[in-house]
Amino acid sequence: MGGFSRKSMGDIKFCKKFKISLVVFLLLSSTIITSAFFIFDDNKILAKNSSEKNVLIGYDYISPALADGIKKANMEASKDSIVADINIPIIMYHYISDTPPNCLIPTLYTEAKIFEDNLTSLKANGYNTVFSSDLANYFIYKKPLPENPIVLTFDDGYEDFYTNAYPLLKKYNERGVLYVIYEYMDKPGYITRAQAKEMVESGYVQIGSHTLNHSNLLATNYNEAFRQINESRIKLSEALETNIVDFAYPYGKFSLRDEGLVKRAGYSMAVSTYPGTMQGLGRIFALRRLRPAKRMGSDFIKWLKEEENKNY
């Protein structure tokens, strides 16, 4: 009987442990399945909201009507601190070098002599080059700008910026903003990390992000778009030992979702390829830019004045 009792007691203890383990396993499984369901459901809602062109406020998509109401309420609550929109041209360049033979996109090239002419023409007509971060400080903190401010931007981080544009900026004591594709640095045809750091330390160049690998944000999902935007800022900031506050959308392709992600990642502003010169706090994550083509001298200044007078 004693042996039988000891065996029975062992079986009872084993059953109790098994039942406890089974309950714990079922509870954990239920939690995982429930979480997965809500994550999947949230992603469906996010995709639906995005496709319906709802507006991203903070991290949430809401209807355009509600977004408009929030915007008006915020403006009414802080109307004394809102800085009015202002005419500030932002010029967009890419390559600063001779156009190669049989080039498929010659408009991306600006010969160094044309760029130098643009610099001297701007100086002769009273324009003062500033960084895009100066614009953000003006709109957000009301920090004053010089008379006739203008921003010179350069997309992609090509090597010829360092060899051709940077020396001219130093020569004429002007400033420029270079949007760098993080993973392209140190590759043939692009600037190196050492060059980027040198230019930042010179005070003539501000570096902005152009994503990790020039990704088309419209063709990426939410998580990948945020990775491209956020990690490029973090990695550039670490590599160059400076705070990266400016962003440029590759190909000029982006959505309201991406504007929200740029803000969430900690940038102060972003530039688009929308034409125009009217800039403001309400479009600080989609600032407008102009393409000068190969205009020079009085033609360049006349075109610039005409663009400023359009006020769109």
Side-chain angles (χ1 to χ4, degrees):
M1 290 294 292
F4 176 77
S5 297
R6 285 195 296 271
K7 184 177 179 181
S8 298
M9 289 297 294
D11 289 343
I12 291 170
K13 289 180 180 179
F14 174 78
C15 288
K16 285 184 177 179
K17 290 180 179 179
F18 176 76
K19 288 179 180 178
I20 293 171
S21 299
L22 182 60
V23 169
V24 171
F25 173 77
L26 291 174
L27 287 172
L28 287 174
S29 299
S30 176
T31 301
I32 292 170
I33 292 170
T34 303
S35 300
F37 171 78
F38 282 115
I39 291 170
F40 175 73
D41 194 54
D42 285 345
N43 286 336
K44 285 200 301 181
I45 292 171
L46 179 63
K48 180 176 181 292
N49 283 331
S50 181
S51 66
E52 290 178 353
K53 302 186 183 304
N54 286 348
V55 179
L56 183 67
I57 299 294
Y59 303 155
D60 300 316
Y61 281 93
I62 61 177
S63 71
L66 183 56
D68 187 54
I70 291 173
K71 182 179 179 181
K72 288 179 179 178
N74 288 340
M75 290 183 67
E76 184 65 26
S78 57
K79 60 183 178 182
D80 293 334
S81 65
I82 293 291
V83 178
D85 288 5
I86 187 173
N87 247 318
I88 304 177
I90 303 177
I91 307 297
M92 174 172 51
Y93 299 97
H94 285 79
Y95 294 97
I96 304 298
S97 62
D98 293 342
T99 306
N102 304 316
C103 176
L104 296 177
I105 315 178
T107 54
L108 293 182
Y109 290 81
T110 302
E111 287 76 4
K113 65 180 181 180
I114 295 178
F115 177 62
E116 184 171 14
D117 177 89
N118 289 172
L119 290 179
T120 57
S121 296
L122 291 171
K123 186 177 288 289
N125 285 273
Y127 285 94
N128 293 286
T129 55
V130 297
F131 292 138
S132 48
S133 60
D134 295 321
L135 267 62
N137 290 333
Y138 170 76
F139 290 120
I140 299 171
Y141 305 112
K142 289 189 175 181
K143 291 188 177 181
L145 289 167
E147 290 187 11
N148 300 320
I150 190 168
V151 183
L152 306 180
T153 65
F154 307 77
D155 286 13
D156 302 331
Y158 297 115
E159 183 182 26
D160 59 39
F161 177 86
Y162 180 79
T163 57
N164 296 334
Y166 175 50
L168 291 173
L169 292 174
K170 290 193 294 183
K171 178 180 178 179
Y172 294 102
N173 192 32
E174 303 293 356
R175 287 157 181 77
V177 181
L178 180 64
Y179 294 106
V180 172
I181 306 165
Y182 175 76
E183 292 178 0
Y184 288 12
M185 285 195 301
D186 295 314
K187 289 186 177 182
Y190 293 87
I191 63 168
T192 65
R193 284 169 170 76
Q195 291 169 342
K197 193 170 183 180
E198 173 195 334
M199 291 189 289
V200 168
E201 291 174 351
S202 75
Y204 292 102
V205 178
Q206 175 182 298
I207 298 291
S209 170
H210 208 30
T211 70
L212 293 169
N213 53 31
H214 208 253
S215 176
N216 177 357
L217 297 176
L218 282 182
T220 62
N221 61 36
Y222 183 95
N223 290 335
E224 176 59 17
F226 185 64
R227 188 181 77 87
Q228 290 282 339
I229 293 166
N230 187 53
E231 287 190 16
S232 61
R233 188 189 73 79
I234 294 172
K235 291 181 177 180
L236 273 175
S237 296
E238 292 175 347
L240 305 182
E241 298 179 350
T242 187
N243 187 26
I244 303 299
V245 298
D246 196 1
F247 184 82
Y249 302 98
Y251 312 105
K253 296 183 177 182
F254 65 102
S255 66
L256 285 171
R257 176 203 72 175
D258 302 317
E259 289 187 48
L261 293 179
V262 170
K263 181 178 181 180
R264 177 183 172 189
Y267 294 91
S268 298
M269 84 293 293
V271 294
S272 71
T273 56
Y274 296 148
T277 62
M278 289 300 293
Q279 318 292 357
L281 186 61
R283 59 174 70 97
I284 201 166
F285 292 105
L287 297 173
R288 298 171 175 180
R289 293 195 287 175
L290 299 173
R291 302 174 186 264
K294 298 181 184 295
R295 296 179 177 88
M296 298 176 66
S298 59
D299 289 338
F300 173 65
I301 297 300
K302 180 183 177 182
W303 161 79
L304 189 56
K305 295 293 186 183
E306 288 174 350
E307 290 295 325
E308 290 181 79
N309 290 331
K310 288 180 180 178
N311 288 332
Y312 61 86

